[in-house]
Amino acid sequence: MILASHQDGDDYKTAKESFVAGMTGSTVFHINMISLVALHTFALPPPKSFQFLSEWLFLVVPLLLSMTLFADNPGTLSAVFFILTALICFYFPPHESGTPLPSGGSVSPSASPTVLRRIPSSSFHRDERDPQSAAPALEPNTIRLPALSTYRAHLMLMTVLAILAVDFPVFPRALAKCETYGVSLMDMGVGSFVFSQGIVYAIPLLKIPAYLWPPITLEMVFVLSECIPILVLGLVRAFLVKGTQYPEHITEYGVHWNFFLTLALTPVLRTYLQPLFSRMSISLLGLLVALGHQLLLSAGFASYVLNAPRETFISANKEGIVSLTGYLAIHLLGLSIGTLILPHSPSYFRRQQAAARRWHNGDEYAFTNLDTKQALSVHTHRENDRTATELFSYAVIYWMLFGISRYLHIGGPDVNLPYIMWVAAYNTTFLLCYLLLDLAFFPTPLAKSTYSPVSGLKVVRKAKDGRAKSTSTPPPSTPMTTTTTTHGPSPMPAPPLLEAINKNALAVFLLANVATGVVNLSMRTMYTPDGRAMGVLGVYAFGLCAFAWAVRDRRVWKL
């Protein structure tokens, strides 16, 4: 009987691996339509009573429905939420709260000169990467950008929902990861995770100008100290999968490789390129890495990934190893977007790069009027309208590059150029949409550029201590600049449940992986009827959100 049970288990393992293998994917339009549901749910404010339950119903359940029962017709679900949102906006139009009253129209005095001295190696301490979940590690009033919080929380929700849903027939096979080439929801999830990682790695570059030219060895030590925990998780997962005979899809990353290892090693590779950050556009650098990666694939690496026998450790994990430079390009493109959306002005990092070059050439006063503390302060007047304009430009460029590169087969385990462009275009577009929703539904007086009705010149917001709050216009001493003092609220936060998920994203992701393993070991998911599958997925989603809600006031795991 034991032998028969063992054989039965082996048969199910083989059948399960076949169940998630050989997929050819869906279409870019289909994936965009499924993802569009997240935007409509964000624009639809849930009731304030029974906050956790109502936010779970309004923000999480629609995402689950969009990739399961409504996956074949996501437009229907989007239309329902669009109509609800339109009705609410018609009867309860959004309005700007706390409109500031300008006080005075005097010309702003020159800011006190700030001299950046040579920074010793001991001062290269590592700040927390995440502005949403680690505000105490930054300035006490560090900006919380609701659009970024919502984007990252929705990304995490769709990821954790998909990793279990894919094991049930209710999840369409077209949305599972493609075997070789093609597009799917789960393929996009992997790339988006790396893109999001790149966004938050922009924080040290914005806060400490010296990070633009750190000693490579020292920077490598600090990056490794952050990545080792994730690397250990990857190794532990590899041992557990092999030890429990858990069904696995080896053509995804390889025999021993997994996504944790990719996520840990990508920032390590980036450190070798960091000396170039002050010398050229990071987005251009990312595109050059993507192009170089594609040239290597075209030179024979793509054929190697698809056809080489698994005889050595490297060939056994060829998918994960070869794809690293492709993921590095995605990480750099995400980093570039981070330098655009995180500071108060989209041009801030470009000015910082120019100042860094001058300082590196011996100009001690290069950083005069460039206040790194104010750049991420919650009280700093932001220019989200200008940021949206630049995001739109990047999105158009990335979609055009994606269209041009479509002569190649998109996707694949080698992370080729069309896939990189698709990930960059998709994430930039949805970040832009979240930012536009912020401006439309949750406007605040500190979120947009302000222009004088008399002169038409941009108004530079002025703090009570006399310092200019925005330096994206000409320097404060320029007589053509008008200054006002702003007393207004900070940006509206993202929905509390999304903030909670974003705050402990790593813990939620780890719990989701454990829960997925438990479910798969306790039941034969591929034979489960749709009704029962939706019940299991609903309990799973509720449990993950309840955990995030319960620990929303603290960080469970701080890397």
Side-chain angles (χ1 to χ4, degrees):
M1 180 178 294
I2 296 177
L3 180 60
S5 177
H6 179 71
Q7 290 176 339
D8 187 49
D10 288 343
D11 290 341
Y12 177 73
K13 181 177 183 293
T14 302
K16 183 63 178 294
E17 291 172 353
S18 300
F19 181 65
V20 296
M23 302 298 111
T24 57
S26 182
T27 65
V28 171
F29 178 76
H30 185 206
I31 304 306
N32 290 342
M33 288 301 296
I34 290 175
S35 305
L36 195 62
V37 174
L39 293 176
H40 289 139
T41 60
F42 174 63
L44 185 65
K48 296 299 181 182
S49 56
F50 302 101
Q51 191 173 42
F52 168 72
L53 183 59
S54 60
E55 290 199 2
W56 180 76
L57 288 172
F58 277 81
L59 300 175
V60 181
V61 172
L63 299 183
L64 178 59
L65 293 175
S66 71
M67 64 180 68
T68 53
L69 298 180
F70 284 86
D72 293 330
N73 296 289
T76 303
L77 193 61
S78 290
V80 171
F81 284 102
F82 177 79
I83 293 172
L84 289 175
T85 302
L87 290 174
I88 290 178
C89 290
F90 179 78
Y91 289 105
F92 307 98
H95 63 279
E96 185 177 280
S97 59
T99 304
L101 297 176
S103 60
S106 60
V107 176
S108 173
S110 299
S112 301
T114 301
V115 179
L116 180 65
R117 302 295 179 186
R118 295 286 172 180
I119 301 178
S121 298
S122 60
S123 67
F124 281 89
H125 62 282
R126 179 63 58 180
D127 290 280
E128 181 56 44
R129 300 288 191 182
D130 191 347
Q132 317 300 320
S133 58
L138 304 175
E139 300 300 324
N141 293 315
T142 298
I143 188 69
R144 288 174 178 266
L145 190 58
L148 183 58
S149 292
T150 306
Y151 156 78
R152 297 188 70 213
H154 274 158
L155 170 61
M156 179 57 64
L157 279 171
M158 295 189 76
T159 300
V160 298
L161 291 174
I163 61 175
L164 178 58
V166 69
D167 296 319
F168 294 94
V170 72
F171 187 88
R173 297 300 89 196
L175 301 183
K177 283 186 69 67
C178 300
E179 184 74 19
T180 53
Y181 295 107
V183 297
S184 73
L185 184 66
M186 296 196 72
D187 284 311
M188 174 52 69
V190 174
S192 298
F193 228 96
V194 177
F195 190 91
S196 174
Q197 180 194 47
I199 291 176
V200 297
Y201 264 84
I203 296 174
L205 298 180
L206 297 167
K207 283 181 55 63
I208 305 176
Y211 275 132
L212 287 171
W213 58 86
I216 290 295
T217 304
L218 190 60
E219 176 69 7
M220 181 69 73
V221 170
F222 284 125
V223 170
L224 282 174
S225 68
E226 288 190 341
C227 294
I228 282 178
I230 302 178
L231 191 63
V232 171
L233 289 174
L235 295 175
V236 169
R237 187 186 186 281
F239 282 115
L240 289 177
V241 167
K242 298 300 180 184
T244 59
Q245 293 296 305
Y246 189 81
E248 56 181 328
H249 192 193
I250 63 171
T251 57
E252 185 176 359
Y253 295 105
V255 177
H256 313 99
W257 206 271
N258 55 62
F259 184 59
F260 285 108
L261 301 180
T262 297
L263 205 61
L265 294 178
T266 302
V268 176
L269 293 178
R270 191 210 68 236
T271 59
Y272 291 103
L273 301 177
Q274 197 149 323
L276 299 175
F277 288 178
S278 63
R279 296 178 172 87
M280 64 186 303
S281 165
I282 297 178
S283 58
L284 177 60
L285 181 60
L287 291 175
L288 291 176
V289 172
L291 182 60
H293 176 68
Q294 182 58 51
L295 290 175
L296 290 175
L297 293 178
S298 300
F301 277 81
S303 177
Y304 170 78
V305 170
L306 294 176
N307 304 314
R310 302 180 187 275
E311 297 174 343
T312 65
F313 177 82
I314 293 178
S315 61
N317 300 284
K318 53 189 179 180
E319 295 88 353
I321 294 173
V322 171
S323 65
L324 274 176
T325 48
Y327 283 120
L328 172 61
I330 294 175
H331 177 93
L332 290 171
L333 295 176
L335 181 66
S336 171
I337 295 298
T339 62
L340 187 73
I341 66 172
L342 289 174
H344 64 287
S345 168
S347 62
Y348 173 81
F349 183 69
R350 294 193 292 270
R351 299 197 312 275
Q352 190 181 42
Q353 285 177 305
R357 289 191 292 270
R358 295 196 305 271
W359 181 84
H360 197 55
N361 292 329
D363 182 3
E364 289 188 331
Y365 293 91
F367 284 89
T368 301
N369 297 332
L370 193 64
D371 195 335
T372 57
K373 291 184 179 180
Q374 287 293 324
L376 297 174
S377 171
V378 72
H379 299 302
T380 300
H381 178 257
R382 294 186 59 83
E383 298 179 348
N384 287 347
D385 50 345
R386 285 190 59 208
T387 301
T389 301
E390 293 208 19
L391 280 177
F392 175 78
S393 300
Y394 273 95
V396 170
I397 292 172
Y398 290 150
W399 280 116
M400 289 177 61
L401 291 175
F402 168 68
I404 294 172
S405 63
R406 282 297 298 272
Y407 75 92
L408 299 168
H409 294 292
I410 185 174
D414 48 19
V415 185
N416 61 8
L417 181 62
Y419 175 79
I420 295 171
M421 291 297 96
W422 179 44
V423 170
Y426 173 96
N427 284 275
T428 304
T429 300
F430 275 87
L431 262 174
L432 168 64
C433 291
Y434 284 123
L435 192 60
L436 291 176
L437 286 174
D438 264 354
L439 290 171
F441 289 89
F442 312 105
T444 65
L446 294 182
K448 295 183 293 185
S449 303
T450 305
Y451 297 88
S452 169
V454 178
S455 66
L457 298 174
K458 183 178 294 184
V459 176
V460 177
R461 300 292 181 179
K462 181 183 173 186
K464 294 181 180 179
D465 61 0
R467 291 181 299 176
K469 285 190 174 278
S470 175
T471 56
S472 61
T473 53
S477 58
T478 303
M480 295 298 293
T481 305
T482 305
T483 303
T484 61
T485 303
T486 297
H487 303 279
S490 58
M492 294 288 290
L497 178 58
L498 299 185
E499 287 278 13
I501 293 171
N502 187 41
K503 186 171 187 176
N504 283 293
L506 179 60
V508 170
F509 186 61
L510 291 177
L511 181 61
N513 275 268
V514 173
T516 298
V518 170
V519 170
N520 275 278
L521 292 174
S522 61
M523 63 185 298
R524 299 194 167 186
T525 54
M526 62 180 291
Y527 302 130
T528 305
D530 289 354
R532 186 182 177 192
M534 291 303 297
V536 172
L537 290 170
V539 172
Y540 164 82
F542 187 87
L544 292 178
C545 293
F547 166 77
W549 186 262
V551 298
R552 65 188 182 278
D553 295 328
R554 64 182 185 278
R555 294 202 68 188
V556 175
W557 190 339
K558 182 177 180 180
L559 290 180

